[in-house]
Structures are given as C-alpha cells and as structure tokens.
Amino acid sequence: MIDSMVAAEEDGGVAYTVREFDGDRDRDSAAVERLEQACEVGPSGGKLCLFTDLLGDPLCRVRHSPAYLMLVAEAADGPLGTEIVGVVRGCVKTVACGRGQLFSKVAYLLGLRVSPAHRRRGIGRKLVERMEEWFRQMGAEYAYVATDTENEPSVRLFTARCGYAKFRTPSVLVHPVFRHDLAPSPRAAVVQLAPREAELLYRRRFADVEFFPRDIDAVLSNALSLGTLLALPEPGAARSWRGVEAFLAAPPESWAVASVWNCKDAFRLEVRGAPRLWRAAARATRAADRAAPWLGIPSVPNLFDPFGMHFLYGLGGAGPSAPRLARALCRHAHNVARRAGARVVATEVGACDPLRAGVPHWPRLGAEDLWCIKRLTDSYGDGTLGDWTKAPPGASIFVDPREF
C-alpha cells in the first residue's frame, strides 16, 4: 500500500477515504464493477457509451502499461455502510513529444468515475490530485486525460479545477461489423508483419509522432495485439514481399499501416439510449442479411447488449494514395473482427490526419475526443523541449491501445 495516497474528508456527515485499490478485497466485492455500470462514460442517444463488463479485472485497462495504479474513494459512514463511490486509474510511460524524436515521461489518467449519489462533493478532484501525487513520485513530467467534448462536467473538472489545458481533439471513428465479409480492395495488397518487423517499421517512420510509446515492442508483442497490417498499392505485392528492411530501403510512393488490438478480451461496451425504432431497424437489417447474404446488406449487429470490439492503432502511412490504402486495411480488419466475434472496429485519429478520409465509419457511433494536458514539474528537463502543453498539433497522433 502507498500510505501517502490515503486521505479522509467529511461531507454532510459522510467520511470519504481515498486509498489504493485492494485486489482481493475490492474485486471480490464486485463494488468497482457496480460503480462502472452505474456511470455512463460517454453521450447516450445511440453511441457507444458504457463499459459494462470488466471481465472480472478492474485493472484490465492499465495492467499492460509499464507502471500503473488504481485508486478508489470509499464512503466510510454512508447510508449503505462502507461502499466504493469513486475510482480512477493511471499509468506512466515514455512517449514522443513530436519534435525530432524527443521523448518525455508522461502519465495518463483514465477511468474516473464517481457514483451519481455522491457527486458535487469534490471526490473526483480528490482522486485526480492523489493520482497526480503518484505521477510525480514516478517522475512524470506531464499528465494527460481524454474525455468526450460533450461531457461538460468532465471538461470543467479538468480545465477549471485541476489545471489542465485543452490540447488535442482526435476523433473516435467506429464501424459496425456486418454478418458478411467485405470484399478486399482490388487495387491493394495487404501484408501481415511479424512483431519484430512491425517494431522496426514503427520506430523508423513514427518515432517523432506525438505520444508514440518508446516501449512499442511491448505493445506489439502483447497477447491482445493481433498483428500489424501493411497495405501496398500493387495488388500482387504480397507475392513479391521481401521483408520490411527491403520495404524501408525503397518504399513505394504510397502505403499505409495499422495494428489490431483485441479489446473484446479486456472490456465490453453497449449502446444505451437508442430509440426503439433504431433497434427494430437494426434487427431488420440482420434478418435481411440472413435471408439474402449474396446482396451484402450492411446489417447492424446487436449493439444494445454488452459486446466486444477490435481497435486499430498505429494507423499511418505516406503518399497520395494513403487514404485509399487505409480503407483497404480497414476492410481487412473488419473481416478479422467478424471471424473473432467482435461487433465493431474502432480507431482514433488526429483532427488533421489525412488518413482520416480513408477510414469508413458511422458518425452516430463515434465521438469527438478532447485530450487535456498538464505540466507536473516546474523544470523543462534538458531544455530542448520547452513547454509541450503550448506546442501546436502535428498531422498525426499515436493512440496507445493499452489506454483506449
């Protein structure tokens, strides 16, 4: 236990304690899972809005990071006795700052939840402050957090009360997985790279992309990483593939790459707030696809019960045809997800990323994210970076799948 992470306050006769998550005590009680299910984490009205099932592991979304911590807020004398009323997770890693392969140690704060019955009592802010103490102990220079632009209470908490600044505005793009495979692109070849090949490609071509993780090898070799796909503009390129080193020595004018992460074995989502008409229409599309599969009807999977997804990370490329090749990658990833039983494929791209135009998605299922950042130290390291919080955005951003 981290003694410095414990604090107690009283509000209206209820004593609140912030402490480190205790795996045996808290997991067995399922209190964290109940809290997760009571808190929507995105806009309702037909969007992916709730993590409903942590598959028995509340640490699943940070466990794969190099260093991680989970804190809970506990109401010691509430009407229901001792209960968990708040939770937050955090992890620390080293990432690129987008300036000539400069790296900085940063912390990511995620999964902040406060029980609806205990909000407006400063619990969320206290959880954030205590987590920031641990970030500083771990040597993090910056902390950042992602929230939905429509989540006004969350935006106010971080920007007005916790000292974070609005930083980047990537978009979460989501596409449903149909009952049938999508036809591969006739003008592209998709090659699957081994983890070592993928690492070499990412380090050579993406090491100066903002938030690129220095431990990309650990990400690519993780059991949840299902492989890396490289799209080339020549349809027969897969047959003449000579390895990633030959590719890097003489790359084609256009290419695109992405890796697949298996979120369905980490957490579940569901759509809440969708009108009955939407549900009926979705059932109708599935029935039509079953009756006439040769028509390729875009059948909407059942998103109204808990389901899993695949996430595309490391999406990038070069050349004028890169968006078209990104579309070929997405079609291939859709078919991989269909065979694995995932119901959606999602990715997150920067606001100015040119590959965004090639990513097929349904706007109603996606979201506009807001990344906020805060400098945790008074120094600027070796002086070459300056204040990253004031840096203008680049064209791309690397979204670590361990934190999605």
Side-chain angles (χ1 to χ4, degrees):
M1 292 293 290
I2 301 177
D3 293 338
S4 63
M5 305 308 290
V6 177
E9 293 186 3
E10 289 193 8
D11 189 300
V14 179
Y16 294 100
T17 301
V18 175
R19 59 173 175 81
E20 187 177 351
F21 171 76
D22 183 327
D24 294 332
R25 170 183 173 185
D26 296 325
R27 190 180 306 166
D28 291 344
S29 68
V32 175
E33 184 174 346
R34 289 196 300 270
L35 175 61
E36 293 276 349
Q37 294 180 354
C39 301
E40 292 189 355
V41 298
S44 59
K47 292 188 179 182
L48 308 186
C49 62
L50 185 67
F51 297 99
T52 60
D53 181 7
L54 295 175
L55 305 184
D57 185 4
L59 285 165
C60 63
R61 293 185 64 203
V62 291
R63 186 179 296 281
H64 303 284
S65 298
Y68 59 87
L69 180 70
M70 180 170 169
L71 300 176
V72 296
E74 193 173 59
D77 300 307
L80 300 179
T82 300
E83 61 174 323
I84 291 179
V85 298
V87 63
V88 70
R89 301 166 181 85
C91 52
V92 178
K93 61 181 181 179
T94 302
V95 303
C97 303
R99 295 185 181 182
Q101 299 189 17
L102 290 176
F103 286 82
S104 179
K105 198 168 188 179
V106 303
Y108 182 58
L109 195 149
L110 73 161
L112 177 63
R113 313 278 190 269
V114 176
S115 170
H118 295 267
R119 290 175 183 169
R120 301 184 183 278
R121 301 182 186 183
I123 297 174
R125 181 175 180 177
K126 182 60 65 177
L127 284 166
V128 171
E129 291 173 347
R130 291 294 171 178
M131 185 61 77
E132 288 176 351
E133 290 182 19
W134 180 73
F135 290 162
R136 293 185 179 93
Q137 291 175 18
M138 297 299 295
E141 301 173 66
Y142 297 89
Y144 72 104
V145 63
T147 187
D148 194 293
T149 55
E150 297 181 18
N151 190 340
E152 295 181 3
S154 178
V155 174
R156 285 197 303 270
L157 170 65
F158 287 105
T159 59
R161 299 180 183 178
C162 296
Y164 287 72
K166 296 180 181 180
F167 191 58
R168 301 291 181 256
T169 55
S171 299
V172 179
L173 308 180
V174 182
H175 193 278
V177 174
F178 305 139
R179 294 189 71 256
H180 57 273
D181 275 355
L182 298 180
S185 172
R187 297 188 296 155
V190 177
V191 177
Q192 180 149 352
L193 305 181
R196 182 66 185 90
E197 290 184 307
E199 179 189 352
L200 184 59
L201 172 59
Y202 278 125
R203 290 197 188 279
R204 290 273 189 90
R205 299 303 298 260
F206 294 85
D208 59 351
V209 173
E210 275 190 324
F211 294 97
F212 176 80
R214 178 172 276 177
D215 64 337
I216 185 64
D217 54 326
V219 180
L220 294 167
S221 61
N222 191 287
L224 296 178
S225 192
L226 302 180
T228 299
L229 307 171
L230 176 67
L232 303 170
E234 302 85 8
R239 293 190 296 272
S240 59
W241 175 251
R242 295 184 294 124
V244 74
E245 291 190 9
F247 166 82
L248 290 169
E253 180 185 25
S254 298
W255 55 275
V257 66
S259 299
V260 183
W261 187 267
N262 181 16
C263 293
K264 65 186 286 289
D265 285 350
F267 57 80
R268 305 281 178 174
L269 304 98
E270 71 179 82
V271 170
R272 288 190 170 184
R276 291 183 179 179
L277 181 60
W278 290 14
R279 296 170 181 259
R283 287 194 297 269
T285 63
R286 294 194 294 273
D289 199 11
R290 284 194 298 269
W294 60 87
L295 294 178
I297 296 171
S299 52
V300 182
N302 181 11
L303 305 180
F304 311 108
D305 292 327
F307 65 89
M309 76 172 185
H310 281 181
F311 180 71
L312 293 184
Y313 69 96
L315 179 65
S321 298
R324 172 177 65 82
L325 296 173
R327 180 174 292 272
L329 290 178
C330 291
R331 295 176 75 87
H332 188 97
H334 169 281
N335 297 341
V336 171
R338 190 189 72 81
R339 289 188 285 274
R343 295 184 198 168
V344 300
V345 176
T347 190
E348 189 164 11
V349 297
C352 303
D353 195 326
L355 269 64
R356 175 182 180 137
V359 178
H361 63 283
W362 287 23
R364 279 195 176 274
L365 294 177
E368 297 300 317
D369 258 4
L370 172 63
W371 288 19
C372 300
I373 195 168
K374 177 179 181 179
R375 190 158 58 91
L376 297 175
T377 64
D378 295 329
S379 64
Y380 290 96
D382 59 7
T384 58
L385 175 63
D387 190 349
W388 187 19
T389 66
K390 297 179 173 59
S396 301
I397 194 168
F398 197 101
V399 180
D400 193 326
R402 298 171 295 186
E403 301 166 1
F404 183 78

